[in-house]
């Protein structure tokens, strides 16, 4: 078999066989297929697509290119995955809620990159929190308290790691079959029995339209089911940041607002819907009953109790979380509105980049984020604002970053003369 023939076949719109896909994935992981041939194949897939069978082969071969996590000693294991966004703190609410409801949450999460945040960075803003447990510690913690969240291990789907880095620099990220197989290879390798995907659409998401997000969600659900997992997906909005606190420690603080202080917000609503749908996928319980159980668990304080127990189990300081002693960068700045009007819409990617400019994110993979940086957004879509009203409170360790971050926020918020006629649906639909 030759890579040249595989590339040529796909370039002309042919269907790749399971053997050809296996040859490529193995060769690229081991280094016998060079970057230039892998890049040519990725571009051909971007232009010509892949059918479901090809996509399943690609996913399964990438999944088996490295270690897979064996969770067979645990019952009812669940995982959730978000395609990424701004102020997306849902994992911090969903995972302890499901653990409090008796499911086993064994989750591997990612770090932030560009405008999107990552759960691992947020958790690491809690003093002492250890996100690199050994596999034995990870599984034993899930057995003991029903929840553990760690960073992805180096050898989880290594084929995807190489391919994703290559796609990032060859303009080949943007392909539904490549995104679907990349995400699902990692999720399947992480071993949970039931998986709920939160596929975002909008100005802060990979998928700019609801229809594109729906296609991606539908394909990923099929891939997971073919691999024998219980699957569901919610298509949710990233037309505006989900939470109003954007950063790392700031998002932990917003989770506390929801779990301890009962804050009702968009972030609470989307989190409880995700938890309810995952509970339903895992247990077969109907959605209305699952919703009721989830809301009762959060409102009774049981989720917050589990959240603090989880933090303690992973070496974190629950007192720092409960008593508001999380890191916050020293320079505080208030951004006020330069005009009167209504908040009509937003370039949410730009709003995410503003947090990155303040130091909270990574422009390249090797940047070290400032875990106390970020900002609180005081306005929501549809709000009327007047000249001088507080729009955002910014936190940074580098005072020279405030001016460019303020510019970015003002440029990203679309302030108009009249109230928008409709606001984007927070939750578009459920796919199972
Ligand atoms: N996230 C992934 O893990 N892979 C992609 O291809 C895109 C987003």
């Amino acid at each position: 078999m030759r890579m040249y023939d595989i590339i040529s076949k796909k370039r002309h719109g042919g269907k790749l066989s399971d053997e050809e896909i296996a040859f490529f994935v193995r060769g690229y992981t081991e280094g016998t297929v060079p970057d230039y041939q892998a890049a040519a194949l990725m571009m051909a897939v971007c232009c010509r697509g892949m059918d479901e069978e090809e996509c399943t082969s690609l996913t399964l071969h990438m999944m088996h290119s490295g270690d897979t996590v064996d969770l067979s000693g645990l019952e009812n294991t669940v995982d959730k995955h978000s395609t990424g966004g701004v102020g997306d703190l849902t994992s911090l609410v969903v995972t302890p809620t499901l653990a409090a409801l008796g499911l086993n949450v064994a989750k591997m999460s990612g770090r932030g990159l560009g405008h999107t945040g990552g759960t691992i960075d947020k958790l690491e803003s809690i003093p002492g929190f250890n996100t690199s447990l050994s596999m034995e510690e990870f599984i034993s913690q899930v057995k003991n308290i029903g929840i553990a969240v760690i960073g992805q291990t180096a050898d989880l789907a290594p084929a995807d790691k190489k391919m994703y880095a290559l796609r990032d620099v060859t303009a080949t990220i943007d392909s539904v079959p490549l995104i679907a197989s990349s995400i699902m290879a990692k999720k399947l390798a992480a071993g949970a029995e039931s998986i709920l995907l939160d596929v975002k659409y909008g100005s802060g998401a990979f998928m700019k339209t609801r229809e594109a997000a729906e296609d991606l969600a539908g394909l990923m659900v099929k891939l997971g089911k073919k691999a024998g997992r219980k699957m569901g997906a919610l298509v949710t909005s990233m037309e505006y940041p989900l939470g109003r606190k954007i950063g790392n420690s700031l998002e932990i603080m917003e989770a506390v607002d929801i779990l301890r202080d009962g804050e009702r917000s968009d972030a609470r609503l989307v989190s409880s819907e995700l938890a309810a749908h995952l509970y339903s996928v895992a247990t077969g319980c109907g959605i209305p009953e699952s919703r009721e159980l989830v809301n009762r668990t959060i409102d009774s304080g049981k989720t917050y109790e589990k959240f603090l127990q989880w933090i303690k189990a992973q070496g974190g300081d629950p007192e720092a979380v409960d008593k508001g002693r999380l890191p916050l960068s020293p320079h505080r700045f208030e951004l006020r509105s330069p005009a009167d009007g209504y908040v009509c819409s937003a370039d949410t990617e730009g709003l995410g980049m503003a947090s990155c400019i303040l130091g909270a994110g990574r422009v390249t993979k090797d940047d070290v984020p400032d875990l106390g940086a970020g900002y609180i957004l005081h306005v929501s879509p549809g709000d009327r604002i007047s000249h001088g009203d507080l729009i955002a409170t910014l936190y940074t360790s580098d005072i020279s970053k405030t001016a460019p971050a303020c510019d970015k926020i003002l440029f990203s918020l679309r302030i108009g003369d009249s109230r928008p006629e409709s606001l984007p649906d927070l939750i578009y639909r459920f796919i199972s």
Side-chain angles (χ1 to χ4, degrees):
M1 213 175 278
R2 296 191 318 157
M3 261 317 279
Y4 181 97
D5 300 323
I6 295 174
I7 297 166
S8 171
K9 187 175 183 186
K10 183 45 76 186
R11 184 190 152 196
H12 291 98
K15 173 171 172 156
L16 301 181
S17 67
D18 184 61
E19 292 71 30
E20 286 166 330
I21 292 172
F23 176 85
F24 158 66
V25 173
R26 193 178 329 108
Y28 191 50
T29 312
E30 288 170 357
T32 53
V33 171
D35 278 346
Y36 50 83
Q37 284 187 313
L41 182 62
M42 295 297 97
M43 187 57 83
V45 171
C46 274
C47 298
R48 292 297 197 163
M50 271 185 157
D51 72 10
E52 232 174 271
E53 213 175 322
E54 291 173 290
C55 208
T56 305
S57 295
L58 181 60
T59 306
L60 296 180
H61 290 300
M62 289 206 295
M63 167 193 170
H64 289 296
S65 63
D67 291 343
T68 53
V69 181
D70 180 7
L71 298 178
S72 58
L74 294 161
E75 281 182 3
N76 251 332
T77 48
V78 295
D79 193 357
K80 88 166 257 290
H81 177 82
S82 159
T83 54
V86 182
D88 180 7
L89 55 98
T90 56
S91 288
L92 302 170
V93 175
V94 173
T95 56
T97 301
L98 293 174
L101 280 166
L103 302 186
N104 282 315
V105 183
K107 178 164 170 54
M108 287 192 182
S109 283
R111 294 186 182 278
L113 186 61
H115 73 284
T116 62
T119 300
I120 292 300
D121 297 323
K122 295 171 203 176
L123 291 172
E124 286 182 352
S125 74
I126 300 170
F129 198 104
N130 178 10
T131 58
S132 6
L133 306 178
S134 69
M135 201 42 68
E136 292 69 34
E137 289 167 330
F138 175 61
I139 290 173
S140 130
Q141 185 177 308
V142 180
K143 271 192 182 139
N144 289 335
I145 64 162
I147 179 169
V149 178
I150 57 172
Q152 232 167 266
T153 56
D155 210 33
L156 193 92
D160 173 66
K161 196 166 285 171
K162 273 188 94 171
M163 277 165 64
Y164 194 46
L166 185 74
R167 287 167 55 215
D168 204 23
V169 293
T170 54
T172 52
I173 290 284
D174 195 10
S175 146
V176 167
L178 292 181
I179 297 175
S181 49
S182 162
I183 293 174
M184 288 309 295
K186 289 175 287 213
K187 284 287 113 182
L188 295 173
E193 206 178 302
S194 304
I195 301 170
L196 196 274
L197 304 163
D198 178 11
V199 182
K200 306 284 190 193
Y201 76 88
S203 61
F206 260 115
M207 298 288 141
K208 300 298 175 202
T209 65
R210 296 194 293 205
E211 293 71 26
E214 209 174 348
D215 283 351
L216 178 64
L219 179 57
M220 290 197 289
V221 165
K222 281 184 190 156
L223 293 173
K225 285 188 170 175
K226 283 197 172 152
R229 309 299 168 90
K230 295 195 246 177
M231 295 294 304
L234 277 181
V235 177
T236 68
S237 169
M238 195 38 71
E239 291 287 21
Y240 200 77
L242 181 59
R244 295 296 176 267
K245 294 186 171 151
I246 300 163
N248 295 299
S249 62
L250 281 165
E251 292 186 39
I252 300 283
M253 292 177 207
E254 186 157 355
V256 174
D257 296 339
I258 294 171
L259 300 180
R260 186 190 63 193
D261 303 337
E263 183 178 88
R264 301 277 157 176
S265 57
D266 291 353
R268 154 76 195 243
L269 175 68
V270 174
S271 301
S272 52
E273 282 298 295
L274 289 166
H277 283 80
L278 182 46
Y279 188 80
S280 170
V281 166
T283 62
C285 179
I287 303 281
E289 298 89 330
S290 302
R291 191 175 281 133
E292 165 80 27
L293 271 174
V294 159
N295 283 319
R296 214 181 313 134
T297 305
I298 299 175
D299 293 336
S300 66
K302 288 200 176 112
T303 301
Y304 189 56
E305 241 173 69
K306 183 57 76 176
F307 183 60
L308 296 181
Q309 185 188 31
W310 162 35
I311 289 166
K312 186 155 188 257
Q314 278 188 242
D317 179 0
E319 287 255 302
V321 174
D322 193 50
K323 303 271 188 285
R325 292 199 302 260
L326 291 171
L328 207 47
S329 304
H331 300 291
R332 181 176 181 279
F333 184 84
E334 291 186 348
L335 169 63
R336 293 188 175 268
S337 176
D340 297 339
Y342 290 90
V343 179
C344 289
S345 62
D347 166 8
T348 301
E349 188 168 332
L351 290 176
M353 283 316 293
S355 171
C356 203
I357 292 169
L358 290 168
R362 290 183 187 77
V363 179
T364 72
K365 273 204 311 252
D366 300 322
D367 291 344
V368 177
D370 175 357
L371 299 175
Y375 65 98
I376 304 173
L377 193 54
H378 300 287
V379 294
S380 297
D383 282 359
R384 162 120 186 97
I385 49 171
S386 303
H387 180 270
D389 281 355
L390 186 60
I391 287 188
T393 308
L394 284 63
Y395 297 90
T396 183
S397 299
D398 179 350
I399 202 162
S400 72
K401 299 292 169 61
T402 28
C406 286
D407 288 348
K408 195 77 184 166
I409 294 170
L410 289 176
F411 191 73
S412 304
L413 281 176
R414 303 207 174 96
I415 311 292
D417 293 334
S418 50
R419 193 186 293 275
E421 275 174 19
S422 63
L423 297 175
D425 295 326
L426 259 189
I427 297 169
Y428 175 52
R429 62 168 297 203
F430 177 54
I431 296 168
S432 75

